[in-house]
Amino acid sequence: MTDTLTPADPAPADKAPAYQGPKRILSGIQASGSLHLGNYLGALKRFVEMQDDAPTFVFVADLHAITVPQDPALLGAQTREIAAAYLASGLDPGRSTIFPQSAVREHAELAWIFNCVARLGWLDRMTQFKEKSGKHKERSSVGLYTYPVLQAADILLYRATHVPVGEDQKQHLELTRDIAQKFNNDFGAPQGQPNFFPLPEPVIQGPATRVMSLRDGAAKMSKSDPSDQSRINLLDDADTIAAKVRKARTDPEPLPETLEELKTRAEADNLVGIYAALADEAKAAVLARFAGQGFGVFKPALAELAVEKLGPVTAEMRRLMADPAEIDRVLAAGAERAREVAAPILAETRAKVGFWQGGTV
Ligand code: AQP
């Protein structure tokens, strides 16, 4: 679990009236490898459900991807693959702005300004850096360390108010709120004016905010897990999905009747959560159907459901990936629309910081 952020140098309490701009939704996924069921249930499916609520910005996080080594020959294809997953999951480029992060250079510029707003003590508490850098902290890139500052820039560049993410991103969202508040206080609004940046809300909802590995109920399903058996990839075929579910680690007991009993059985809980999220049902409803049954019954039912729900997404992804020019058209149009929103917000931010305003460069 993530710690609660307690800044070493806390921003003073917010004095200005609350931000009053429109609701905007923003999120992204790193272009760092194949997408898996955790990304689908914890993020993609949520983006699609929310896109009618407010203007939605969804980017492919390629600037984040290079915080760890990437093969330059593959990064472009990985970017298109994430874009294909967005489209195949149901994001509509007519309603949602879909773009590669690196194509909107304002992200990097705002991140620099925020690097000078965030405090080292705040970043030192980020648990994801500790997990990702492991024992070799001094060999990690500086980018991996300041990743959450770039994330704050991604969000606030669009003055996004709502950010759908999985549970693992909660701490980074708290940092974004602290950066926004400190910027508002340090450079903020003239007396009595509302805050310049919103304090964005994480939207962490649904039965699958933290899908766990199929091999270890205590580890998050992750792209970087060395075992491919630990995750269901969005591009896996039906036989592979069925085999992975069949081999998923479980215990020998039948499924219990109550959520209370399920809580103490991490692997069983994870599989029931996956079933519930795929079926759009509550976990209790899944237990009501399968209580007393063993995994010999439950696993084939889960595999069948996973294939039924993911099959059309996989097929559409493959179709789109066979036409990279079409994906590029969507990404280019999205980048243009994103810049139309981002550029004036960055220009105002630059003016607040006091950068030279003598002309356009
Ligand atoms: N296991 C998960 N369960 C639910 N949600 C998840 N997300 C990731 N894993 C799970 C959510 O997916 C979105 C995009 O994540 P990301 O790829 O940008 O970064 P990540 O969280 O670091 O994802 P991975 O798969 O764990 O990648 P690696 O292994 O490269 O670090 C986010 O909203 C995230 O919460």
Side-chain angles (χ1 to χ4, degrees), residues 40-54:
Y40 178 71
L41 296 175
L44 281 167
K45 204 162 169 277
R46 305 284 303 122
F47 304 166
V48 176
E49 286 159 3
M50 290 182 77
Q51 69 178 333
D52 288 328
D53 295 354

Side-chain angles (χ1 to χ4, degrees), residues 28-30 32 36 38-39 42-43 128 132 165-166 168-169 208-211 220-224:
I29 295 185
Q30 282 191 76
S32 57
H36 53 74
N39 297 132
Q128 193 181 78
K132 290 199 171 180
V165 280
D168 60 328
Q169 293 298 326
T209 55
R210 189 168 171 83
V211 176
K220 187 182 83 121
M221 186 177 285
S222 169
K223 296 185 203 102
S224 51

Side-chain angles (χ1 to χ4, degrees), residues 38-295:
N39 297 132
Y40 178 71
L41 296 175
L44 281 167
K45 204 162 169 277
R46 305 284 303 122
F47 304 166
V48 176
E49 286 159 3
M50 290 182 77
Q51 69 178 333
D52 288 328
D53 295 354
T56 299
F57 298 80
V58 185
F59 61 94
V60 183
D62 51 357
L63 295 179
H64 284 281
I66 63 163
T67 56
V68 294
Q70 299 293 335
D71 181 345
L74 297 180
L75 188 57
Q78 286 169 197
T79 300
R80 291 192 188 98
E81 184 179 326
I82 307 284
Y86 288 158
L87 298 168
S89 302
L91 276 180
D92 171 4
R95 285 180 285 165
S96 295
T97 302
I98 301 170
F99 60 100
Q101 183 187 25
S102 65
V104 181
R105 298 193 184 164
E106 285 82 352
H107 285 250
E109 189 173 339
L110 187 59
W112 178 256
I113 294 173
F114 285 170
N115 269 324
C116 303
V117 172
R119 308 288 93 182
L120 268 181
W122 301 1
L123 285 181
D124 279 343
R125 289 182 177 79
M126 296 295 109
T127 53
Q128 193 181 78
F129 175 74
K130 290 176 194 160
E131 282 158 22
K132 290 199 171 180
S133 59
K135 293 192 192 107
H136 305 293
K137 188 172 149 204
E138 63 292 343
R139 279 192 239 152
S140 300
S141 73
V142 175
L144 188 66
Y145 187 69
T146 61
Y147 173 120
V149 177
L150 176 59
Q151 196 168 329
D154 300 334
I155 296 165
L156 296 172
L157 186 56
Y158 301 89
R159 289 194 175 128
T161 54
H162 292 78
V163 185
V165 280
E167 176 72 39
D168 60 328
Q169 293 298 326
K170 188 166 176 245
Q171 196 187 34
H172 291 170
L173 260 292
E174 286 168 9
L175 183 91
T176 295
R177 291 168 63 92
D178 280 7
I179 290 175
Q181 182 152 325
K182 184 159 168 56
F183 186 95
N184 288 338
N185 289 337
D186 290 357
F187 300 102
Q191 198 68 27
Q193 292 289 305
N195 269 326
F196 182 66
F197 284 122
L199 305 189
E201 297 286 342
V203 185
I204 304 173
Q205 282 169 2
T209 55
R210 189 168 171 83
V211 176
M212 308 309 278
S213 155
L214 298 179
R215 308 301 298 160
D216 176 0
K220 187 182 83 121
M221 186 177 285
S222 169
K223 296 185 203 102
S224 51
D225 191 316
S227 165
D228 191 56
Q229 295 299 316
S230 69
R231 61 183 163 261
I232 293 175
N233 301 305
L234 283 193
L235 289 175
D236 282 346
D237 62 24
D239 289 346
T240 308
I241 293 176
K244 285 181 178 175
V245 173
R246 199 169 51 242
K247 285 192 206 136
R249 191 166 142 193
T250 42
D251 55 50
E253 303 298 319
L255 283 173
E257 282 180 10
T258 65
L259 291 173
E260 206 51 44
E261 293 167 274
L262 189 65
K263 259 192 209 154
T264 57
R265 295 167 59 189
E267 281 84 13
D269 192 13
N270 187 37
L271 294 188
V272 170
I274 291 173
Y275 190 106
L278 286 169
D280 280 319
E281 282 178 4
K283 281 205 250 183
V286 179
L287 285 187
R289 194 153 356 115
F290 289 99
Q293 313 249 36
F295 286 99

